[in-house]
Amino acid sequence: LRSLNIAYCGKHLTDETIKAVATSCPSLTSLNAADCKLLTDESVKALASGCRSLTSLDVSRCKSLTDESMISLAAGCTALTYLNVRNCDKLTDEAIKAVATLPELSSLRIFGCRKLSEESIAALAGCATLATLDTTNTFRQVFKASRRSIIEAVEA
């Protein structure tokens, strides 16, 4: 098995399911597990160690994922070219710094990851292969703060 789409299985998929996939499908290159709300860092860590050929991963709206999962993913799945962590709202700059080290990453969706700051932007600026970046609804607070700083500087 090279490609698996289990998106929107919601409450039917658990970490145990993903661990079984990671163990039995070492040649997996693409996994869409969007909106599988019960998945945790344990699932992504299992993928990082068992599916090292993974090039595409969609874990958007998997709200329990933390930086720990992205750090493991970046270390274990270095061939990753596409990553969608849309609305994984527990992720911080540490996750994006790890993801930015992926040598083949060409597309990243961080839509709605509101804990990210200018540190994430700086880390991604060094990602030479990145061609597509979706930051919709992510850096509003950063841009508001920047605008405030500019206005204060002009008024001073």
Side-chain angles (χ1 to χ4, degrees):
L1 185 65
R2 293 198 168 279
S3 181
L4 180 60
N5 185 341
I6 51 175
Y8 307 103
C9 289
K11 297 178 181 177
H12 302 289
L13 288 173
T14 65
D15 288 332
E16 295 310 311
T17 308
I18 299 300
K19 286 178 185 178
V21 167
T23 302
S24 1
C25 304
S27 298
L28 193 68
T29 58
S30 177
L31 175 63
N32 184 345
D35 209 38
C36 294
K37 297 183 185 329
L38 298 179
L39 301 186
T40 70
D41 291 338
E42 295 307 309
S43 289
V44 177
K45 290 190 316 192
L47 291 169
S49 64
C51 301
R52 298 177 73 80
S53 299
L54 204 62
T55 58
S56 176
L57 180 63
D58 185 339
V59 287
S60 56
R61 293 176 301 285
C62 293
K63 303 249 182 199
S64 296
L65 298 182
T66 70
D67 295 347
E68 185 180 345
S69 62
M70 294 301 109
I71 292 166
S72 294
L73 187 69
C77 297
T78 57
L80 206 64
T81 59
Y82 173 82
L83 179 61
N84 186 345
V85 292
R86 177 182 182 199
N87 290 324
C88 292
D89 49 19
K90 290 185 179 181
L91 299 182
T92 71
D93 292 327
E94 296 310 308
I96 302 308
K97 287 177 193 175
V99 166
T101 67
L102 289 164
E104 304 296 324
L105 188 67
S106 61
S107 182
L108 177 63
R109 296 195 57 161
I110 53 176
F111 177 108
C113 297
R114 295 186 179 168
K115 290 187 177 182
L116 304 183
S117 74
E118 62 274 359
E119 287 183 47
S120 290
I121 296 170
L124 292 170
C127 193
T129 57
L130 192 62
T132 303
L133 176 63
D134 179 2
T135 64
T136 307
N137 208 20
T138 300
F139 295 108
R140 259 197 265 175
Q141 294 82 357
V142 172
F143 295 133
K144 282 181 185 176
S146 296
R147 267 186 275 158
R148 260 193 312 273
S149 297
I150 291 169
I151 292 169
E152 288 170 4
V154 169
E155 291 174 349

